[in-house]
Amino acid sequence: EVQLVESGGGLVPPGGSLRLSCSASGFTFRTYAMNWVRQAPGKGLEWLSYISTGSNTMYYADSVKGRFTISRDDADKSLYLQMYSLRPDDTAVYFCARGAGTLDSWGQGTPVTVSS
Amino acid sequence: EIVMTQSPATLSVSPGERATLSCRASQSVGSNLAWYQHKPGQAPRLLIYAASTRATGIPARFSGSGSGTEFTLTISSLQSEDFAVYYCQQSNNWPPLTFGGGTRVEIK
């Protein structure tokens, strides 16, 4: 069974940093592209970032470009999102999702709150 | 960036009735359109990809249609577990991947 489990969320002050992790199991992680998607309170889904197999290609939404960095460790079957210069409007539940275009498996998310 | 617009925002349906959800793209996305179901506190679930192909394990009461800029998700006979928020998403021209604002299907 495919499982994606996010961790690392929490409360952080404006301007702070946080690193999210996504642990994968039940599939050959290194052969799949991965993504981060978020949902702010009362809002819809927003795609944030993509990383290809082999980490050859990364994409970012304009809203996080230059502040967030996606990475992966295939040996550890883990996906990461390093977040810098966090703002109150980054408050959301952050999901990792598998796929290149169509997102066929998702985790349950980890909440991030940016507040003083 | 391709803008996805879903309607209605909220759909009130009685169990056993048919639900029809719409999704419109600001420019053609071909058939590169997916539908997801999301319940509070749970992982979003892929229902339909390539506009009309059901994902693994998705019941036959869910069907997708359309191409270009107009798409529809139909739930033929709503079950209690189908009350949720549904999102469409295009993958024809990305980055960015873009989602519609969602349609909440609630019990009438």
Side-chain angles (χ1 to χ4, degrees):
Chain A
E1 179 195 3
V2 173
Q3 278 206 312
L4 296 169
V5 180
E6 302 90 341
S7 61
L11 176 63
V12 60
S17 301
L18 206 58
R19 188 196 197 204
L20 305 183
S21 300
C22 170
S23 179
S25 61
F27 64 102
T28 306
F29 180 74
R30 62 180 169 78
T31 66
Y32 285 86
M34 298 294 296
N35 301 264
W36 287 98
V37 178
R38 70 184 177 187
Q39 182 178 36
K43 303 292 186 182
L45 299 173
E46 179 190 13
W47 172 83
L48 297 179
S49 187
Y50 161 92
I51 186 166
S52 66
T53 57
S55 301
N56 296 310
T57 302
M58 283 83 85
Y59 298 132
Y60 297 92
D62 286 346
S63 59
V64 304
K65 199 174 295 182
R67 300 189 301 123
F68 291 10
T69 301
I70 192 171
S71 63
R72 63 189 297 161
D73 183 333
D74 289 341
D76 229 11
K77 300 179 185 178
S78 293
L79 175 72
Y80 303 102
L81 186 68
Q82 179 68 56
M83 304 186 293
Y84 300 101
S85 303
L86 283 161
R87 311 186 297 223
D89 63 358
D90 293 317
T91 294
V93 176
Y94 286 72
F95 301 95
C96 62
R98 185 181 82 170
T102 298
L103 307 179
D104 65 2
S105 295
W106 298 60
Q108 290 194 313
T110 187
V112 172
T113 301
V114 184
S115 175
S116 54
Chain B
E1 170 176 327
I2 296 178
V3 177
M4 307 300 293
T5 303
Q6 290 186 242
S7 60
T10 303
L11 188 60
S12 297
V13 186
S14 299
E17 288 188 341
R18 182 186 196 91
T20 302
L21 290 66
S22 296
C23 174
R24 175 177 292 176
S26 61
Q27 65 189 78
S28 176
V29 299
S31 294
N32 296 301
L33 192 285
W35 290 93
Y36 302 87
Q37 178 191 66
H38 191 203
K39 298 178 182 179
Q42 296 189 17
R45 179 169 72 147
L46 174 67
L47 299 175
I48 301 286
Y49 64 95
S52 60
T53 303
R54 275 189 303 278
T56 303
I58 301 304
R61 64 181 181 272
F62 291 93
S63 63
S65 64
S67 65
T69 62
E70 301 283 344
F71 300 88
T72 300
L73 174 70
T74 302
I75 312 171
S76 59
S77 176
L78 269 156
Q79 307 297 303
S80 58
E81 62 266 30
D82 299 336
F83 293 97
V85 180
Y86 293 83
Y87 295 95
C88 62
Q89 174 244 319
Q90 70 81 24
S91 59
N92 187 66
N93 187 358
W94 69 288
L97 294 173
T98 49
F99 292 88
T103 292
R104 178 180 305 276
V105 177
E106 64 177 27
I107 301 174
K108 187 173 183 179

